[in-house]
Amino acid sequence: MTDRPLLIVILAAGKGTRMKSARPKVLHEIAGMSMLGHVLALAGALGATGTAVVVGPGMDDVRAEALRLAPDVQIFVQGEQLGTANAVLAAREAIAAHNGDVLVLYADTPLMRNSSLKELLSVLEHGVGISVLGFESDDPTGYGRLITEDGGRLLAIREHKDASPEELGIRLCNSGVMGFRVDDLVGLLERIGSYNAKREYYLTDAIEIASADGIGAAVVTCEEQEVLGVNSRDHLAVAEGIWQRRARAEAMLGGVTMVAPETVWLSHDTVLGRDVLVEPNVFIGLGVSIEDNVRIRANSYLEGKNAKSRAGIHIEEGAEIGPFARLRPGTRLGRDVQIGNFVEIKNANMEAGAKASHLTYVGDAHVGAEANIGAGTIFCNYDGFRKSRCDVGAGVFIGSNSALVAPVKVGDGAYVAAGSTITRDVASQSLAIERAVQAEKPG
Ligand code: UD1
Ligand code: MG
């Protein structure tokens, strides 16, 4: 890396017809974030002074996503898809105004590592004006081949369709990621023609044209996985799998225990503390943060935020969740809270030491410290028209199979007898019992 100003141009114009989707390809998600978002995050981490995103005509949702995630990006429209050089030139205004290095990324290639991109930029120096991120592939079919001199200098990139049989034998491939330190990049790209098998303006032709001007090119290699380009739903699933493996490995390096890591699914923003224990088959959605020493037992579903609710989930130290628990948006659990099997919690704050161990729904509620919510308790938060809240005080005991009909308040230290339907507030330190007297008819 250098400290020269850096402009990143992200190509996102592809419609992605092979996705068979109403959504543009680059808005499909990995770990809960669009592929475009992953690439914008990389751009942010590289400290780019400017970022340009090239979209296709009518791609207003791609534009909106880019501006939502990175309000400073400049958006350019490539009118017709005439090739990668033409796509970069769509951002000519940004490139011409920029005085520094330019890095070209594809928005459908979301797994690149920051370290590889830094290395790619670090080789740009006097004599090397273009650097290309390459990879060795056992099956290079379809990729551009990197033609190098013995010393490693890059002489040309040959697209598969234009390659000679001998060139097709090369396994060193072009990832598409390219760094430029060229005085007049716009001028260089404008000299690229479309005399090739696809009648497209190939960005890759910049290598040979620049070489005629005495500008050298070099290759930096990375793992093939990093530059996986997503073209279809099966590629999307492969990319998701690679992302998840990396994230789990990182979590474990950070002190998280996973009994069966391959069955745990994380989101791009998941935060896990030290000595968190995650049992098998756990799903963690968006906006979930978990403090130290929490145990998430098997088959639990921590939903986190969604399109309707932007509130995430926070779990404090020592809490135990599951097995088979479902935590929905707006769940906040204090220290040592215990949530057992078949318990669902939504938009609720449970204070330290509170327990709901079996078969319970806690929605739109506050539950005080050390309260015990008995088996089968339902917080009836919805009357068919609107949602209301329940407030359960500290140290309250709710007997099994009770219904709390919101809005209702149960004072500190109160007791609700099993089977009660509570519709009126219960004073603190008192017993509420709402239950028909048991009749007994002998014989
Ligand atoms: C490109 C490279 C090839 C490399 C491969 C890696 C060129 C000429 N070839 O080939 O050397 O091995 O990527 O995956 O660059 N795009 C636009 N507008 C266009 C054309 C493309 O925005 O007019 C975008 C696409 O949406 C895509 C990216 O640029 O994200 C690459 O284009 P694509 O047509 O997939 O190029 P490949 O043939 O895969
Ligand atoms: Mg491609």
Side-chain angles (χ1 to χ4, degrees):
M1 252 313 251
T2 63
D3 38 23
R4 284 168 61 96
L6 174 66
L7 172 70
I8 297 189
V9 180
I10 300 176
L11 304 190
K15 284 189 288 287
T17 36
R18 280 169 62 198
M19 296 296 280
K20 306 264 166 58
S21 174
R23 255 203 271 185
K25 172 164 79 174
V26 300
L27 297 188
H28 283 262
E29 292 177 351
I30 288 171
M33 177 154 77
S34 65
M35 291 195 274
L36 175 62
H38 284 273
V39 177
L40 283 169
L42 276 164
L46 283 171
T49 38
T51 303
V53 178
V54 177
V55 303
M59 285 188 167
D60 294 339
D61 34 8
V62 177
R63 175 193 299 262
E65 169 80 344
L67 292 171
R68 180 178 77 80
L69 294 168
D72 293 337
V73 298
Q74 285 180 277
I75 311 281
F76 296 92
V77 178
Q78 184 192 19
E80 236 185 307
Q81 288 206 27
L82 300 176
T84 43
N86 181 260
V88 175
L89 275 175
R92 88 173 58 222
E93 202 185 292
I95 297 168
H98 171 74
N99 190 5
D101 297 345
V102 174
L103 176 66
V104 176
L105 303 177
Y106 294 168
D108 65 357
T109 305
L111 299 173
M112 292 164 295
R113 285 189 189 273
N114 181 276
S115 53
S116 301
L117 298 178
K118 280 187 171 160
E119 199 188 333
L120 186 77
L121 292 169
S122 73
V123 303
L124 292 176
E125 55 183 37
H126 196 66
V128 174
I130 306 178
S131 57
V132 172
L133 191 60
F135 61 95
E136 291 275 349
S137 177
D138 292 336
D139 178 16
T141 312
Y143 289 117
R145 307 299 207 282
L146 300 182
I147 299 173
T148 51
E149 217 177 40
D150 287 342
R153 208 166 78 94
L154 177 63
L155 302 175
I157 305 179
R158 194 77 68 232
E159 289 307 299
H160 185 105
K161 285 193 170 159
D162 304 301
S164 68
E166 192 192 328
E167 288 166 342
L168 286 177
I170 297 173
R171 295 196 301 121
L172 184 60
C173 300
N174 174 26
S175 70
V177 177
M178 291 169 78
F180 295 91
R181 181 173 297 175
V182 176
D183 289 334
D184 179 17
L185 181 57
V186 169
L188 171 65
L189 299 183
E190 278 176 339
R191 282 152 65 196
I192 292 174
S194 59
Y195 315 107
N196 51 55
K198 284 168 82 178
R199 297 262 158 269
E200 278 187 8
Y201 296 88
Y202 289 165
L203 181 61
T204 46
D205 284 350
I207 308 290
E208 277 169 293
I209 296 173
S211 145
D213 288 358
I215 300 171
V219 182
V220 165
T221 53
C222 69
E223 271 183 82
E224 184 167 8
Q225 276 196 350
E226 271 190 59
V227 286
L228 172 80
V230 172
N231 295 321
S232 57
R233 308 268 183 154
D234 58 332
H235 293 165
L236 186 68
V238 170
E240 175 84 44
I242 295 169
W243 191 95
Q244 291 290 341
R245 266 195 295 287
R246 280 190 194 171
R248 291 185 295 240
E250 233 168 82
M252 290 187 281
L253 280 173
V256 172
T257 296
M258 293 188 182
V259 181
E262 63 287 0
T263 67
V264 174
W265 290 80
L266 307 173
S267 290
H268 71 91
D269 59 357
T270 302
V271 179
L272 300 173
R274 275 166 77 111
D275 292 311
V276 165
L277 172 67
V278 185
E279 290 185 2
N281 297 318
V282 168
F283 175 90
I284 299 182
L286 289 172
V288 176
S289 57
I290 297 176
E291 293 184 6
D292 296 351
N293 296 308
V294 167
R295 182 180 183 125
I296 310 288
R297 300 182 65 190
N299 301 304
S300 292
Y301 190 81
L302 282 60
E303 207 167 310
K305 48 188 186 189
N306 57 31
K308 260 172 71 188
S309 169
R310 304 307 296 162
I313 292 175
H314 184 74
I315 303 176
E316 287 183 29
E317 250 192 281
E320 197 168 321
I321 316 298
F324 295 98
R326 180 179 182 203
L327 306 186
R328 293 175 50 203
T331 296
R332 314 203 80 73
L333 305 178
R335 283 178 89 103
D336 301 323
V337 161
Q338 287 190 25
I339 302 300
N341 45 260
F342 308 110
V343 173
E344 173 179 345
I345 309 212
K346 184 213 76 170
N347 188 27
N349 184 359
M350 294 182 65
E351 308 267 8
K355 293 191 180 74
S357 298
H358 338 263
L359 303 156
T360 285
Y361 175 58
V362 178
D364 299 309
H366 170 257
V367 175
E370 304 292 334
N372 189 333
I373 313 294
T377 298
I378 303 296
F379 286 48
C380 309
N381 60 329
Y382 186 50
D383 60 10
F385 297 96
R386 63 181 160 263
K387 305 266 168 72
S388 304
R389 295 184 62 85
C390 290
D391 188 353
V392 173
V396 163
F397 182 95
I398 309 279
S400 295
N401 197 31
S402 293
L404 304 181
V405 181
V408 76
K409 186 169 183 303
V410 181
D412 290 350
Y415 226 87
V416 169
S420 298
T421 297
I422 300 299
T423 55
R424 282 181 290 152
D425 288 356
V426 178
S428 58
Q429 308 298 338
S430 51
L431 167 70
I433 178 160
E434 189 281 334
R435 195 193 278 169
V437 177
Q438 182 171 334
E440 212 169 296
K441 320 250 165 153

